[in-house]
Amino acid sequence: MNKHHESTEPADEQQITLRGPAELADALPYLMGFHPNDSVVMVALHGGQGRFGGRLRMGIPPSPTEWAPVANQLAECLISGSERRDTRPDAIVVFLCQDPAEGESGHQAMERLRPLAQRLRTACGALDVPVLEALCISDGRYWSYCCPDERCCPVEGNPLALPGTTVMAAAAAYAGIQVRGSLRDMEARLRPWGSPAGAEQEKALDSAGAVLVSRILDADGRGAVAGETLALARELMERLVRAPAATTADIDDDRLISCDEAAALILGLQDRETRDRAAEWMEGREAEAALRLWRALARRCVGPYVEHSAAPLTLAGWVSWSAGDEPGARVALGLALRADPDYTFAQLLHQACNEGLDPETLRRCLRDERGLRAGRDGDGAGASVSGTTGRHEGRRAERRPGRRPPRTPAAKRKRATGTAAGSAGPGSAAARPRAGGPQCRSRAPGQGGGQRGARSGR
């Protein structure tokens, strides 16, 4: 479950009219850019004609005890966010998308989620914004929670339209809007390996940690590790550029990177300043290669190192956002916050992306920073991949200085998964950046031995 809600800005140019639940259900993937399985989606409507406004997505909380507070938070988030960007919504459309559990039918899944739909309707109504329609999409069918007429909304539900056969599909094709597949498929490209190769990667991370952690925590050694990390990253990006584009499963890219190389990069990127320098690779062919590299590294953060994936996932989210792929950015940033809800870099980018800010401001800052550093130091770290120009994400407020006491990976995972749904999302107290300098953090040795790595700043 993604515990950080995501909002999407409306498209201003294309205007089409959707009539009834069937066309609303068909429009959902085009509104979001992907099929949002296992999700609550809320869409704001404005004006008498119901113009689409802000959109918000969140993973469905697994426990019904979470539904009431989450519904209240989502309603407030969508309405207040819409007021900041546009105007107060006149109505809201709610979608609940979830495949049936094992042994469950689509109709049973719909009935199981009915209390959540009612909570959302009540929460929006309490803020004087009615829910115009609430749909459940499950097992290739849809149901309306608002329509009592079985002639148009039968108990067994209605089948979804065939892909590409509706007015929304035609309008999306004309506008060049692509649906990237399901949310599950997009997340699968970024999730840690579950194959036996993961054990080999974990051993490489243990070995690299035993060497690199003490160097990263040392003032002199930290700079050397940063240079080595950036040089290795550029080498791997060149290697990826020379290779054909990756397959859907990214198998080709995985084969091009050894376990030792991945381990050195994953641990090196835990340093805030090194990560910030890496974020400068954000445009053109440089960005394409960097995105492939960050995805590959995220897949290598296996076992107790899953928390370390926050750095490459956030870089992947930044590059995606910089390149105009907002759905891909939100997926990557959401996974980064799931790996480490306190990762400030991901929090700030997630909030900026959701609020519809222009990434060009950040790109300009990074270009200037890169140029100044190259001019001042003659620094080779500003070199580009295959002659392209690179860039990065602006300076961000960081955590207070000082070292945190070691934390075991298991304890950290328990803390992360125990976060209340949506509590660290944009606009919440946990999402506000905290000022301060870089911070070094060492992981306690886990079972199986080996220093787990160093985290510097956020």
Side-chain angles (χ1 to χ4, degrees), residues 13-320:
E13 307 299 332
Q14 191 75 9
Q15 292 188 5
I16 61 173
T17 301
L18 303 179
R19 297 179 176 85
E23 292 186 353
L24 279 173
D26 174 73
L28 179 59
Y30 301 101
L31 293 174
M32 302 302 294
F34 55 88
H35 294 273
N37 50 275
D38 193 28
S39 298
V40 179
V41 177
M42 300 173 67
V43 181
L45 303 179
H46 298 268
Q49 295 183 333
R51 173 178 58 84
F52 286 138
R55 293 138 223 187
L56 177 151
R57 190 208 71 85
M58 179 179 173
I60 294 177
S63 172
T65 61
E66 299 180 77
W67 291 355
V70 166
N72 292 334
Q73 184 179 11
L74 294 181
E76 194 280 331
C77 180
L78 179 61
I79 293 169
S80 62
S82 296
E83 288 176 325
R84 287 194 302 271
R85 293 187 295 267
D86 191 356
T87 60
R88 186 176 181 83
D90 294 290
I92 290 173
V93 175
V94 171
F95 300 86
L96 299 181
C97 310
Q98 191 171 72
D99 292 333
E102 186 176 354
E104 187 180 48
S105 67
H107 178 265
Q108 290 171 325
M110 179 274 293
E111 290 294 346
R112 173 171 52 79
L113 295 173
R114 185 182 290 276
L116 175 56
Q118 186 58 36
R119 295 281 189 184
L120 291 164
R121 295 174 69 184
T122 301
C124 294
L127 297 174
D128 296 323
V129 181
V131 171
L132 185 67
E133 181 62 273
L135 298 177
C136 177
I137 299 176
S138 182
D139 198 26
R141 307 181 78 83
Y142 69 88
W143 290 261
S144 171
Y145 290 115
C146 297
C147 179
D149 191 345
E150 293 190 4
R151 292 174 297 178
C152 59
C153 298
V155 173
E156 66 274 13
N158 287 303
L160 294 171
L162 294 174
T165 62
T166 63
V167 62
M168 189 66 179
Y174 177 79
I177 298 173
Q178 295 182 342
V179 177
R180 301 172 181 273
S182 71
L183 175 63
R184 187 180 297 113
D185 293 337
M186 295 174 71
E187 290 183 341
R189 301 190 70 187
L190 301 168
R191 289 191 181 280
W193 282 351
S195 64
E200 181 182 356
Q201 182 61 65
E202 185 175 340
K203 290 179 182 178
L205 285 161
D206 285 339
S207 299
V211 175
L212 292 178
V213 168
S214 60
R215 296 180 63 200
I216 292 175
L217 296 178
D218 177 75
D220 296 328
R222 182 179 176 187
V225 172
E228 294 165 8
T229 300
L230 294 169
L232 177 58
R234 285 195 297 272
E235 178 185 339
L236 294 182
M237 288 165 61
E238 290 281 5
R239 192 182 302 170
L240 293 171
V241 165
R242 292 192 298 267
T247 63
T248 302
D250 299 309
I251 296 174
D252 292 349
D253 285 355
D254 289 337
R255 289 171 177 168
L256 291 171
I257 302 172
S258 72
C259 289
D260 290 338
E261 290 171 330
L265 280 183
I266 289 168
L267 295 177
L269 289 172
Q270 303 310 307
D271 176 70
R272 175 184 60 83
E273 294 180 6
T274 305
R275 177 208 66 199
D276 289 356
R277 296 264 296 270
E280 294 173 3
W281 303 318
M282 60 189 175
E283 294 174 299
R285 294 187 66 195
E286 208 171 45
E288 295 173 14
L291 183 57
R292 290 167 65 181
L293 178 59
W294 307 146
R295 285 172 174 165
L297 294 181
R299 295 191 292 270
R300 302 294 188 100
C301 295
V302 297
Y305 291 94
V306 65
E307 178 184 69
H308 286 64
S309 66
L313 284 169
T314 304
L315 289 170
W318 159 241
V319 174
S320 296

